């Protein structure tokens, strides 16, 4: 009995954990690199036989499937056309069938060539080849990206990712615009295994670099001289981008009836009924004019030909070719011609996505600080924010230091970072001005970022564990930032204003975006291995979580969207 080859080998989660443990032993105990990922050297030949080369070819088309997906639309009509042409030739009417064939076959071949060319362009996105530094036999050697298989460990470099990979060491900044449409830079961090949960590329998104995404910067926060290492988990058409392209080229079978065939069938039926009403008087008068049954039958068959013209499939192909050429001029590549009909029936298209009608970049509108369980007035100047709020904006982010004067990352985070006048001393240390208080008379605060908790669509929050001079002795600060409804459930209810929900609803109804911030204390931090703890474990160690305030963001309307909004409002 044959089984499908899994997109990711079943043993890979265990192999990832073994590689992480080996790296820890190498960094802390001086273990030999020869034992790193040693199991892959034994299994690589088997992986090559199962997963083969990453280079993908366009699936061949069957001879009768010259037009690919268009076959589902017009093959039934071509069958009717062929029967009609046989009848016309039998009756001695040669001119019409010959003219149709002369135009039909070149049109078919031209459409097939155009669709295959577009499929090849789509597949070319997967077939980009580059030399990749492969870690093997304790050495780093150059290998073709087409020869990578799940389990290989490579040195991550800037550029387009050729396969799905999980971070073993270091961090990086990527954009996933090809997959999600978002141009915002995301920070990827090292995978941390959770008890009872195996690695899954779809669930552990904060540590997975997907094929097709652009890697902008790579760095090792622990040691700037060490490389950033990743392990390949999915390749080729099994990767995130490969699955999308595979669905485009070889879609799942659709049981829903094609609308074009249904419309043509209704047209044929209407024309046939109309011709029958016209034919009824002929049947009545036929005996008077000496017409026998055979002649009446021939007339009936001619009636069918008039109701279903043999040139209709050719006309459909010409209309489709014109529609595709118009779409191609607008930069739209059409792989499924039957979509033209479905698209023609659409009156309004609504996109619930940031950057469609508004600017993709959010602007800081202000901050609503919380003081003694009550909201202060909206404050737009960072000079009026409290010390803890400033520390949260300076440390709780996914920014990356490019140089002392340049910071890369999300624009909102950079705006907040700049608003509190913070700056990096190194990749893990931030300094910012502060108000002197009873704990410290210093006018500057130095924050050491111990661990960054990346944003997750499941938890709807991000965070950072920070060492600060004004924190209690032997303790660290845990800053959390995320959806207001989520942060509210994590903090002490005594620190939440009574009108919290009302304020959130008011700003949301006016199209503002809100982020809530909170801070807690982790005691005995020197006894904890924070770097190896999951977000859930870190949050469980925090006490005295209190709400700091709300960040109010706005997305201004694009100048070219005003007409569209007016049309939608007018109905």
């Amino acid at each position: 009995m044959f089984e499908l080859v899994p997109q990711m080998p079943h043993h890979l989660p265990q192999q990832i954990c073994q590689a992480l443990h080996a790296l820890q032993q190498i960094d802390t105990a001086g273990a030999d690199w020869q034992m790193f990922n040693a199991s892959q050297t034994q299994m690589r030949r088997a992986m090559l036989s199962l997963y083969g080369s990453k280079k993908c070819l366009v699936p061949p088309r069957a001879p009768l499937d010259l037009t690919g997906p268009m076959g589902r639309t017009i093959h039934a009509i071509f069958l009717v056309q062929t029967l009609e042409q046989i009848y016309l030739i039998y009756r001695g009417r040669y001119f019409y069938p010959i003219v149709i064939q002369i135009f039909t076959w070149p049109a078919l071949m031209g459409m097939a060539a155009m669709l295959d060319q577009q499929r090849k362009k789509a597949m070319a996105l997967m077939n980009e080849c580059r030399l990749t530094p492969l870690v093997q036999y304790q050495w780093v050697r150059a290998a073709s990206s087409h020869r990578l298989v799940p389990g290989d460990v490579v040195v991550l470099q800037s550029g387009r990712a050729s396969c799905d990979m999980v971070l073993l060491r270091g961090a990086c900044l990527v954009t996933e615009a090809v997959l999600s449409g978002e141009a915002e830079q995301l920070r990827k961090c090292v995978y941390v295994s959770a008890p009872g949960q195996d690695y899954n590329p779809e669930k552990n998104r904060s540590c997975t670099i997907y094929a097709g995404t652009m890697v902008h910067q790579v760095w090792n926060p622990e040691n700037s001289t060490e490389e950033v290492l990743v392990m390949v988990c999915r390749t080729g058409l099994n990767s995130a981008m490969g699955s999308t392209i595979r669905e485009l080229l070889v879609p799942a079978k659709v049981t829903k009836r094609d609308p074009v065939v249904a419309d043509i069938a209704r047209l044929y039926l209407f024309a046939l009924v109309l011709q029958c009403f016209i034919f009824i008087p002929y049947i009545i008068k036929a005996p008077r004019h000496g017409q026998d049954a055979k002649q009446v039958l021939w007339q009936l068959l001619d009636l069918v030909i008039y109701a279903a013209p043999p040139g209709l499939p050719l006309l459909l192909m010409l209309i489709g070719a014109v529609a595709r050429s118009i779409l191609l001029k607008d930069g739209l590549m059409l792989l499924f011609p039957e979509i033209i009909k479905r698209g023609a029936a659409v009156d309004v298209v609504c996109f619930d996505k940031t950057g469609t009608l508004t600017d993709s970049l959010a602007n800081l509108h202000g901050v609503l600080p919380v003081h003694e369980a009550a909201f202060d007035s909206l404050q737009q100047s960072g000079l009026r924010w409290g010390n803890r709020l400033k520390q949260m904006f300076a440390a709780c982010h996914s920014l990356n230091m490019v140089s002392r004067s340049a910071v890369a990352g999300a624009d909102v985070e950079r705006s907040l970072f700049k608003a509190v006048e913070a700056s990096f001393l190194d990749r893990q240390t931030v300094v910012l001005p502060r108000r002197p208080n009873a704990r410290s008379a210093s006018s500057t605060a130095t924050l050491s970022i111990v661990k960054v908790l990346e944003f997750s669509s499941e938890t709807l929050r991000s965070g950072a564990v920070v060492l600060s001079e004004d924190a209690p002795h032997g303790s660290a600060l845990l800053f959390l930032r995320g959806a207001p409804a989520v942060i509210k459930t994590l903090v002490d209810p005594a620190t939440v204003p009574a009108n919290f929900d009302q304020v959130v609803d008011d700003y949301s109804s006016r199209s503002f975006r809100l982020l809530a911030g909170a801070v807690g204390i982790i005691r005995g931090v020197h006894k904890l291995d924070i770097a190896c703890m999951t977000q859930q474990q870190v949050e469980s160690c925090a006490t005295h979580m209190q709400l700091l305030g709300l960040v109010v963001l706005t997305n201004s309307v694009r100048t070219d969207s005003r007409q569209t909004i007016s049309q939608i409002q007018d109905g």
Side-chain angles (χ1 to χ4, degrees):
M1 181 177 179
F2 294 98
E3 295 183 1
L4 292 175
V5 177
Q7 292 187 341
M8 186 180 75
H10 298 301
H11 68 270
L12 194 65
Q14 181 180 0
Q15 186 175 348
I16 293 173
C17 294
Q18 293 174 351
L20 289 171
H21 179 70
L23 283 175
Q24 187 177 11
Q25 292 296 316
I26 292 172
D27 294 337
T28 59
D32 191 356
W33 273 95
Q34 188 172 0
M35 300 304 297
F36 175 69
N37 204 29
S39 60
Q40 180 66 7
T41 60
Q42 304 171 3
M43 296 185 296
R44 197 170 194 278
R45 182 171 297 180
M47 291 293 101
L48 281 172
S49 63
L50 287 175
Y51 294 92
S53 172
K54 193 182 77 66
K55 185 175 182 179
C56 307
L57 303 176
V58 177
R61 317 304 302 182
L64 296 179
D65 193 19
L66 292 174
T67 57
M70 179 62 99
R72 296 194 294 270
T73 302
I74 61 178
H75 276 182
I77 309 172
F78 271 118
L79 178 61
V80 175
Q81 173 187 278
T82 302
L83 295 176
E84 291 175 340
Q85 291 179 358
I86 292 174
Y87 168 75
L88 292 175
I89 293 174
Y90 177 77
R91 293 295 302 275
R93 305 171 187 175
Y94 301 105
F95 178 76
Y96 195 28
I98 291 176
V99 171
I100 291 177
Q101 291 297 322
I102 288 176
F103 285 99
T104 298
W105 284 102
L108 275 173
M109 301 304 294
M111 188 191 320
M114 180 184 297
L115 292 176
D116 285 341
Q117 187 66 26
Q118 291 177 348
R119 293 189 186 96
K120 289 179 181 178
K121 289 181 179 179
M123 188 60 75
L125 297 174
M126 289 297 304
N127 288 336
E128 182 181 358
C129 183
R130 59 184 294 187
L131 288 179
T132 304
L134 175 65
V135 180
Q136 193 176 30
Y137 301 109
Q138 76 181 14
W139 300 101
V140 178
R141 66 181 185 89
S144 169
S145 58
H146 286 171
R147 302 292 293 174
L148 295 178
V149 295
D152 284 343
V153 175
V154 298
V155 178
L156 184 62
Q157 296 178 309
S158 300
R160 191 177 300 277
S162 59
C163 51
D164 292 352
M165 302 171 286
V166 55
L167 264 170
L168 301 179
R169 170 194 277 178
C172 65
L173 278 179
V174 304
T175 53
E176 298 178 348
V178 175
L179 301 178
S180 64
E182 295 285 355
E184 183 178 352
Q185 290 184 336
L186 302 175
R187 178 174 175 172
K188 302 290 184 176
C189 57
V190 173
Y191 167 69
V192 178
S193 59
Q197 296 182 2
D198 290 337
Y199 168 77
N200 188 318
E202 304 303 330
K203 295 181 179 180
N204 303 105
R205 304 185 67 88
S206 63
C207 58
T208 303
I209 303 169
Y210 297 100
T213 60
M214 185 62 66
V215 180
H216 295 282
Q217 298 180 34
V218 295
W219 72 93
N220 189 336
E222 302 296 333
N223 188 343
S224 59
T225 62
E226 295 288 345
E227 294 84 358
V228 176
L229 300 180
V230 292
M231 179 177 287
V232 177
C233 57
R234 297 185 302 195
T235 61
L237 294 178
N238 293 323
S239 63
M241 185 176 180
S243 299
T244 302
I245 294 179
R246 179 173 54 187
E247 182 63 25
L248 289 175
L249 298 179
V250 188
K253 292 184 178 180
V254 180
T255 57
K256 187 178 180 180
R257 192 174 182 182
D258 193 282
V260 176
V261 176
D263 288 347
I264 294 175
R266 285 192 291 266
L267 174 64
Y268 281 174
L269 181 61
F270 171 76
L272 185 60
V273 171
L274 182 63
Q275 291 287 352
C276 287
F277 277 107
I278 300 174
F279 190 66
I280 290 175
Y282 170 78
I283 296 177
I284 297 174
K285 297 179 180 180
R288 301 179 185 178
H289 297 81
Q291 299 286 334
D292 56 10
K294 182 177 180 181
Q295 291 175 323
V296 173
L297 179 61
W298 288 126
Q299 292 294 333
L300 180 61
L301 292 176
D302 288 341
L303 175 67
V304 175
I305 298 298
Y306 299 146
L312 184 59
L314 176 60
L315 180 62
L316 286 176
M317 284 192 298
L318 294 178
I319 294 175
V322 173
R324 285 194 302 276
S325 63
I326 294 175
L327 292 174
L328 196 59
K329 290 180 181 178
D330 293 334
L332 299 176
M333 185 170 59
L334 184 66
L335 294 177
F336 305 106
E338 65 265 33
I339 300 299
I340 296 177
K341 163 62 182 176
R342 296 193 179 103
V346 176
D347 295 324
V348 178
V349 179
C350 295
F351 295 93
D352 184 17
K353 191 173 185 62
T354 303
T356 304
L357 298 177
T358 60
D359 290 332
S360 58
L361 303 179
N363 300 314
L364 177 63
H365 182 68
V367 174
L368 288 170
V370 173
H371 180 66
E372 295 182 354
F375 282 116
D376 291 341
S377 60
L378 184 69
Q379 299 177 3
Q380 298 178 333
S381 174
L383 298 176
R384 302 180 61 187
W385 301 341
N387 287 335
R388 286 288 186 254
L389 264 177
K390 291 182 177 180
Q391 291 175 353
M392 182 184 71
F393 297 144
C396 186
H397 51 66
S398 59
L399 298 177
N400 172 42
M401 184 187 74
V402 180
S403 64
R404 288 290 181 91
S405 59
V407 177
D411 289 274
V412 173
E413 294 180 339
R414 286 192 294 176
S415 298
L416 293 170
F417 191 80
K418 183 178 179 181
V420 298
E421 301 180 358
S423 60
F424 280 102
L425 291 181
D426 54 51
R427 294 189 186 275
Q428 301 298 116
T429 307
V430 177
V431 63
L432 73 159
R434 49 159 295 150
R435 300 174 185 172
N437 55 22
R439 290 181 178 272
S440 176
S442 175
S443 59
T444 61
T446 302
L447 306 177
S448 298
I449 303 174
V450 178
K451 183 179 181 64
V452 175
L453 306 175
E454 298 293 341
F455 176 82
S456 169
S457 58
E458 296 178 356
T459 61
L460 296 178
R461 60 184 180 272
S462 60
V465 180
V466 177
L467 296 178
S468 175
E469 299 170 349
D470 60 350
H473 180 70
S475 301
L477 299 177
L478 172 63
F479 291 104
L480 293 178
R481 189 186 64 185
V486 175
I487 299 299
K488 179 184 176 182
T489 62
L490 299 175
V491 301
D492 184 357
T495 65
V496 179
N499 62 340
F500 181 87
D501 294 333
Q502 180 181 352
V503 171
V504 171
D505 292 340
D506 177 57
Y507 277 95
S508 299
S509 64
R510 290 185 285 160
S511 301
F512 288 103
R513 294 168 55 194
L514 298 175
L515 293 175
V519 63
I521 299 176
I522 301 178
R523 301 188 183 279
V525 67
H526 61 281
K527 300 179 181 179
L528 302 174
D529 189 2
I530 298 291
C532 296
M533 295 173 65
T534 63
Q535 180 170 347
Q536 184 178 4
Q537 292 171 337
V538 171
E539 293 177 355
S540 64
C541 296
T543 59
H544 300 91
M545 292 292 297
Q546 59 179 349
L547 185 67
L548 293 178
L550 295 176
V551 182
V552 185
L553 307 174
T554 180
N555 291 86
S556 57
V557 178
R558 290 167 44 179
T559 56
D560 56 350
S561 300
R562 301 186 185 278
Q563 183 179 359
T564 303
I565 295 175
S566 299
Q567 292 176 353
I568 294 175
Q569 291 176 341
D570 295 340

